[in-house]
Amino acid sequence: MERYQQQFQALGSTVLITLVTKKDLAYAQKLFRQISLRISRFEQQFSRFLTDSELTQFNQRAGIKVSVSQTFLKLLEVSKDLSNSTDGLYNPFILPALQQAGYLGSWTSQRTELAINDYRNRKTTIIDNLIIGDSWAKIPKNSALDFGGIGKGYLLDELSRTLSNKMLSGYWLSLGGDIICAGFDLDNEFWKVAIQDANDNSQIIDYISNQTGNILAIATSGITKRHGIKNGQSWHHIIDPRTRKPAITDILTATVTADQAVRADVYAKCIVIAGAKQAKTYKRQGVIQSFLLQLNSKVPALIKSRLGS
Amino acid sequence: MHNFKVKSLKRIAPDTILLTLQPKRPKDWFQFSPGQYVAIGFKYHGRPSPMRCFSIVSSPNNKVELQLAMRLAGEFTNSIAELEAGEAVFVYGPFGNFVIDEQLDRNVILIAGGIGITPFMSMIRYASEARLQLPITLLYSNKHQTNIPFYKELLELEQQNSHFKAVFFITNGGIDKLNDELSIPGQISDDKLNQLINHRYNRFTYFICGPRGFTKNIKTMLAKHNTDPTRIITEEFTPTSQTNSLSTAPKLSISRMTYYLTGASLALAIGLIMMVDLARAVPKLISVESKQQSTTSQTTSSISDQKQNSTTTQNNTASSSSNSNSNSSSTTQTKNYQPPITSVS
């Protein structure tokens, strides 16, 4: 049995792919190429930092019916479903509010053309205003869509489906910290996914395992990464759609496990917005498997459910 | 090559000038990352000068001007100081991987020796403009308190950006003309570094830029405290004497090269860098393939390797007990394996 790993930069973050297989190196190489190609195509299609991406073109034509690709359509449908099931706590129209709060571009996104991707003068609208047709979609004239984390989750799920049909005894994929794993590591060990300490990223506070070998998706959301000060007011990148301002929250980071990466990502974000109580509600409803919350308090504190699958 | 012209030249310290360039046409503008450098040349009495490398000082957000700063320490830089507004400057690049990676570098200490401040100015300006909450601490060493390039601007940036702190070290003479709270007499020593870092060396990523001796000293100090080598990223430069190719032009020759990066000759460096950058632009499996053909183990300490866009490692336990070459290789590769860590996405 051999373990192969590849790392590269895409989607504005680090991508890590790890495969465990009895097959030879050439086989792993083939899969790596397949995955990196898919990620590259996804980025070309959905990055709002690329002026010719389908997403940018779509946002440029807000207010009119626009023909979209099947993948775009699927992502819109998933976004709408999750927005409805979270009572609007997840909202793909949040981009203008995020930019108004102060987040215009990431350090690594030198491709950002602010003149084109500046949506500060547009408005955050409700999900009902997203109209999805057979092969087209329409958003209000003064709005803009961003798939942000949900896009990474969606892509992870798709890649996981691809890998589950391959001759692998285990794999894990990480897109900028969102992870999906399945099967086993060398020597039939469970995959152990470490959770960073929100106050000190060099420290690990806990681990999550896929103890049955089943697919396990893990996402962490929080207010510790993209944040800053605008006009003397601090901001972070988790926007509460109800107030259209950075969420006032008791949570520093929320780590969530689910059977799908797209769910893990969305619910982790919603928990940060709605607070610790909401995590327990989601757990009771069965939409997430487990959670670990690092609280925004003077004394470092944790709330966690049973981690792992 | 990008065609630029001189917009202005300004003396920002007794022996340091700030060269501001403008693209001749919009298409001559190029994207770069804070910390990268360019090679420039110009026409000197009608003949092309050699090319020399300088870090970009301006922020990538400033899309109308390209700024470079240089110490006047030889004929090349002194000739630049004689350029007039509107004169042509040829720019190649950008080059280099001396850039902050948002995913990896979440608490940054920039350590500059003298004119080694230049790449950091671009980083700090950009971070302040983009209102990033990336904690940045600058440790800036100079010989004299009256000769600190960008001193005032750094104080202003500190006021604007609450996540940026600067500490000035003055190796010769007093510090009475500087802000007391931010200035320390003497070199950046082990003790002072300890006080500033509070013994938590592996909490930070260190970017070091300065003369070779300076860089080496800082690296030694960090290594002494078991700092993870992947957290130390350096860029060296040093004065040197190399005869340039204009010796056939009497009185017009520029005989000293005053600045070089990575120690190689410029032409070779540019060629190599372009090839490396090109290779890094496409995810490849070169490292695995080369491992199969060679028993050379993959180093984990090389910063350039760590900064590559695409790397591949293989962990082979099946062969590790039966083949000494594989065993040796496998040990190194196991170190390279990165276990899964979930972080804020």
Side-chain angles (χ1 to χ4, degrees):
Chain A
M1 198 69 73
E2 291 175 354
R3 181 171 63 199
Y4 303 95
Q5 186 173 67
Q6 188 183 41
Q7 175 183 336
F8 56 93
Q9 298 293 316
L11 299 165
S13 58
T14 301
V15 178
L16 270 163
I17 311 164
T18 303
L19 310 175
V20 175
T21 179
K22 286 180 181 172
K23 303 286 281 183
D24 61 7
L25 179 64
Y27 185 76
Q29 287 176 334
K30 190 177 153 193
L31 291 182
F32 283 142
R33 282 195 199 102
Q34 199 175 331
I35 293 168
S36 60
L37 187 63
R38 178 64 194 122
I39 292 173
S40 172
R41 284 184 179 158
F42 190 89
E43 183 167 28
Q44 292 293 323
Q45 196 172 0
F46 292 106
S47 173
R48 72 178 169 89
F49 297 112
L50 296 176
T51 54
D52 56 352
S53 74
E54 187 174 3
L55 177 63
T56 302
Q57 295 297 315
F58 183 81
N59 280 332
Q60 295 300 316
R61 288 185 276 173
I64 57 175
K65 276 168 74 171
V66 180
S67 291
V68 293
S69 66
Q70 281 304 302
T71 312
F72 199 99
L73 212 55
K74 274 186 191 170
L75 201 43
L76 287 175
E77 284 164 354
V78 170
S79 294
K80 192 158 188 168
D81 284 349
L82 284 167
S83 188
N84 286 327
S85 60
T86 58
D87 295 325
L89 280 182
Y90 164 70
N91 184 344
F93 286 111
I94 208 68
L95 180 61
L98 178 61
Q99 292 191 334
Q100 284 155 17
Y103 181 64
L104 286 170
S106 70
W107 181 282
T108 49
S109 298
Q110 292 302 316
R111 295 162 297 176
T112 307
E113 293 294 340
L114 286 179
I116 292 171
N117 287 297
D118 187 345
Y119 298 109
R120 282 176 293 181
N121 60 354
R122 297 197 186 185
K123 290 178 181 170
T124 294
T125 185
I126 56 171
I127 196 66
D128 291 345
N129 289 329
L130 169 60
I131 314 294
I132 304 174
D134 292 339
S135 59
W136 57 268
K138 183 184 169 188
I139 58 174
K141 190 178 178 183
N142 286 321
S143 64
L145 278 175
D146 180 30
F147 295 120
I150 196 177
K152 285 180 186 166
Y154 180 88
L155 181 58
L156 272 179
D157 289 330
E158 185 192 305
L159 294 173
S160 178
R161 282 193 295 274
T162 303
L163 289 177
S164 63
N165 297 324
K166 308 296 177 188
M167 284 170 282
L168 302 170
S169 62
Y171 64 86
W172 64 264
L173 306 166
S174 172
L175 293 183
D178 282 359
I179 290 171
I180 197 160
C181 61
F184 301 96
D185 196 358
L186 297 170
D187 302 323
N188 281 328
E189 291 284 335
F190 307 122
W191 292 115
K192 269 178 72 180
V193 179
I195 302 174
Q196 279 183 335
D197 185 335
N199 294 298
D200 180 356
N201 288 341
S202 63
Q203 301 298 315
I204 300 301
I205 56 160
D206 210 336
Y207 292 90
I208 308 167
S209 299
N210 66 328
Q211 293 179 2
T212 59
N214 287 343
I215 289 175
L216 182 66
I218 304 125
T220 299
S221 186
I223 61 172
T224 57
K225 190 172 174 185
R226 297 181 181 89
H227 46 183
I229 292 179
K230 184 190 176 190
N231 301 330
Q233 298 285 312
S234 65
W235 64 270
H236 55 75
H237 83 300
I238 304 292
I239 302 295
D240 186 339
R242 298 167 299 189
T243 62
R244 291 162 196 185
K245 299 261 166 47
I248 298 169
T249 177
D250 56 347
I251 292 170
L252 270 183
T253 63
T255 299
V256 165
T257 68
D259 57 349
Q260 291 178 350
V262 71
R263 278 182 182 278
D265 185 89
V266 164
Y267 284 105
K269 206 162 277 157
C270 291
I271 289 170
V272 173
I273 294 169
K277 279 185 183 172
Q278 191 65 38
K280 292 170 187 169
T281 306
Y282 287 148
K283 176 87 169 68
R284 272 199 306 275
Q285 291 172 349
V287 291
I288 61 172
Q289 292 178 350
S290 62
F291 61 83
L292 186 147
L293 313 178
Q294 300 186 59
L295 300 186
N296 191 2
S297 55
K298 286 182 182 172
V299 181
L302 294 177
I303 298 177
K304 66 178 184 178
S305 67
R306 183 174 62 87
L307 290 171
S309 57
Chain B
M1 186 186 74
H2 311 280
N3 290 305
F4 278 68
K5 60 185 178 184
V6 176
K7 183 186 180 194
S8 66
L9 267 164
K10 186 180 171 188
R11 197 169 284 259
I12 54 169
D15 61 355
T16 307
I17 56 167
L18 179 69
L19 172 64
T20 303
L21 303 174
Q22 280 181 318
K24 277 200 167 175
R25 297 157 298 183
K27 71 173 190 177
D28 285 313
W29 185 255
F30 55 88
Q31 296 286 325
F32 65 91
S33 294
Q36 288 193 299
Y37 64 95
V38 291
I40 65 166
F42 52 94
K43 287 263 179 90
Y44 192 75
H45 292 263
R47 299 185 65 85
S49 76
M51 305 292 288
R52 297 289 180 262
C53 290
F54 297 96
S55 291
I56 300 168
V57 169
S58 47
S59 157
N61 283 343
N62 180 352
K63 294 186 188 300
V64 291
E65 292 175 349
L66 187 74
Q67 289 188 324
L68 313 170
M70 56 203 74
R71 206 146 241 174
L72 299 172
E75 288 186 38
F76 187 88
T77 46
N78 278 305
S79 300
I80 284 182
E82 291 169 11
L83 291 174
E84 293 183 358
E87 283 196 69
V89 174
F90 314 110
V91 179
Y92 288 87
F95 303 118
N97 251 350
F98 193 66
V99 294
I100 290 175
D101 184 320
E102 193 188 10
Q103 293 298 318
L104 300 172
D105 312 320
R106 294 177 177 178
N107 205 336
V108 170
I109 294 185
L110 313 176
I111 307 178
I115 197 65
I117 187 67
T118 47
F120 299 145
M121 285 309 298
S122 181
M123 294 177 184
I124 298 163
R125 284 171 167 179
Y126 180 80
S128 301
E129 288 163 2
R131 296 185 176 90
L132 300 180
Q133 202 174 347
L134 175 74
I136 300 177
T137 306
L138 171 70
L139 310 184
Y140 186 14
S141 177
N142 280 279
K143 285 182 181 168
H144 301 287
Q145 63 175 333
T146 54
N147 191 359
I148 307 175
F150 302 106
Y151 177 69
K152 281 186 182 170
E153 185 180 346
L154 287 166
L155 295 183
E156 286 166 10
L157 285 166
E158 206 180 47
Q159 294 295 315
Q160 293 164 19
N161 180 354
S162 60
H163 304 289
F164 167 60
K165 299 284 169 218
V167 182
F168 299 92
F169 290 80
I170 304 299
T171 57
N172 297 334
I175 56 168
D176 52 299
K177 293 177 183 171
L178 303 179
N179 184 325
D180 287 348
E181 291 175 8
L182 305 172
S183 308
I184 299 176
Q187 294 182 338
I188 301 176
S189 65
D190 197 29
D191 284 349
K192 289 167 190 164
L193 207 54
N194 248 330
Q195 283 173 20
L196 290 163
I197 292 172
N198 198 18
H199 301 279
R200 291 179 294 183
Y201 282 82
N202 281 318
R203 284 194 65 172
F204 305 95
T205 302
Y206 304 86
F207 288 80
I208 310 167
C209 185
R212 183 172 294 171
F214 174 86
T215 306
K216 190 180 169 189
N217 284 344
I218 301 290
K219 279 172 78 176
T220 306
M221 280 182 229
L222 294 174
K224 188 178 153 189
H225 295 280
N226 298 319
T227 309
D228 180 349
T230 63
R231 288 177 174 273
I232 305 171
I233 298 150
T234 63
E235 187 134 292
E236 284 177 7
F237 65 88
T238 184
T240 184
S241 57
Q242 285 186 19
T243 304
N244 67 46
S245 59
L246 283 188
S247 57
T248 54
K251 297 181 182 178
L252 304 181
S253 68
I254 302 167
S255 62
R256 286 177 62 84
M257 173 176 159
T258 57
Y259 185 90
Y260 79 91
L261 292 159
T262 70
S265 72
L266 186 64
L268 183 61
I270 291 172
L272 282 172
I273 290 159
M274 288 176 72
M275 288 178 68
V276 170
D277 284 351
L278 189 64
R280 287 172 183 170
V282 183
K284 285 182 182 175
L285 301 167
I286 291 170
S287 55
V288 166
E289 288 161 357
S290 63
K291 268 179 215 144
Q292 281 209 318
Q293 294 160 8
S294 163
T295 57
T296 307
S297 60
Q298 183 178 333
T299 175
T300 57
S301 60
S302 162
I303 294 303
S304 59
D305 283 355
Q306 295 296 326
K307 300 290 284 182
Q308 279 188 4
N309 285 336
S310 173
T311 58
T312 305
T313 59
Q314 175 190 3
N315 178 279
N316 185 332
T317 54
S319 60
S320 62
S321 57
S322 57
N323 181 316
S324 61
N325 286 338
S326 299
N327 195 17
S328 150
S329 182
S330 174
T331 304
T332 308
Q333 287 160 6
T334 303
K335 279 183 193 168
N336 285 345
Y337 170 68
Q338 293 188 48
I341 301 175
T342 179
S343 57
V344 177
S345 57

